């Protein structure tokens, strides 16, 4: 079963700046650490990080054509602003888990609201890189 892992704007900066909020692991490190869990769950991971909303949306559309069974997405700042990303997720009807490294509910007011959460099967927020692993486990549980 193929799972698409999507990371949105600025997540390519992980490990380089803001370690106090987002941890010291790079995105590459986070993804590499997911491999054993994915393989234990029988999941094949495809990954894309983009700083561009339209690129993320195109990849979500393609996921439906490719037969992707689940999506793990950290939409970054688009979480709080993007109706278009939300519509794309709703439009493909693929079970999606929203992940945030930081606890968005304990930060600035503008981060507390997610436009994406209502079209996902759930949101994981505040557990750092572990959130991606929890998301894979949640999807595997839903798909089996
Ligand atoms: O906590 C998360 O995972 C976020 O999705 C991260 C986003 C933020 O806009 C969301 O509110 C919560 C930010 C992406 C990472 O931005 C960085 C900026 C500078 C250095 C490192 C990362």
């Amino acid at each position: 079963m193929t799972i698409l892992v999507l990371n949105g704007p600025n997540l390519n900066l992980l490990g380089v700046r803001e370690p106090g909020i987002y941890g010291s692991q790079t995105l590459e490190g986070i993804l590499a650490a997911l491999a054993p869990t994915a393989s234990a769950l029988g999941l094949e991971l495809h990954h894309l990080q983009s700083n561009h909303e339209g690129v993320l949306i195109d990849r979500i559309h393609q996921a439906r054509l490719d037969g992707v069974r689940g999506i793990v997405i950290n939409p970054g700042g688009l979480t709080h602003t993007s109706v278009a990303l939300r519509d794309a997720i709703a439009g493909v009807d693929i079970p999606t888990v929203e992940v945030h490294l930081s606890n968005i509910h304990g930060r600035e007011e503008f981060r507390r609201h997610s436009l994406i959460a209502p079209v996902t099967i759930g949101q994981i927020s505040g557990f750092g890189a572990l959130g991606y692993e929890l998301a894979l486990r949640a999807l595997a549980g839903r798909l089996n």
Side-chain angles (χ1 to χ4, degrees):
M1 271 189 298
T2 303
I3 302 295
L4 178 62
V5 181
L6 287 176
N7 282 284
N10 298 310
L11 286 154
N12 55 311
L13 297 178
L14 286 176
V16 181
R17 296 179 45 205
E18 306 268 31
I21 301 175
Y22 299 120
S24 54
Q25 258 182 304
T26 62
L27 186 56
E28 266 184 12
I30 290 173
L31 293 167
L34 273 187
T37 304
S39 126
L41 295 169
L43 303 175
E44 184 185 338
L45 301 187
H46 292 183
H47 176 251
L48 173 74
Q49 187 277 328
S50 179
N51 294 321
H52 304 280
E53 188 177 28
V55 172
L56 294 165
I57 291 169
D58 284 345
R59 189 67 191 82
I60 290 167
H61 293 172
Q62 187 61 40
R64 191 175 63 82
L65 302 174
D66 292 348
V68 166
R69 298 289 303 282
I71 297 174
V72 174
I73 185 166
N74 183 342
L78 294 173
T79 304
H80 320 294
T81 62
S82 181
V83 172
L85 188 59
R86 171 194 174 124
D87 289 346
I89 294 168
V92 294
D93 200 26
I94 298 172
T96 297
V97 178
E98 178 182 340
V99 171
H100 297 286
L101 294 159
S102 64
N103 177 9
I104 59 171
H105 303 287
R107 299 182 62 192
E108 302 96 323
E109 183 63 37
F110 68 85
R111 292 189 204 276
R112 292 183 191 161
H113 184 246
S114 168
L115 290 174
I116 308 301
V119 295
T120 67
I121 62 169
Q123 182 194 67
I124 298 166
S125 177
F127 298 105
L130 175 63
Y132 290 87
E133 187 185 323
L134 297 173
L136 285 187
R137 293 189 184 283
L139 277 175
R142 180 61 68 103
L143 294 171
N144 286 324

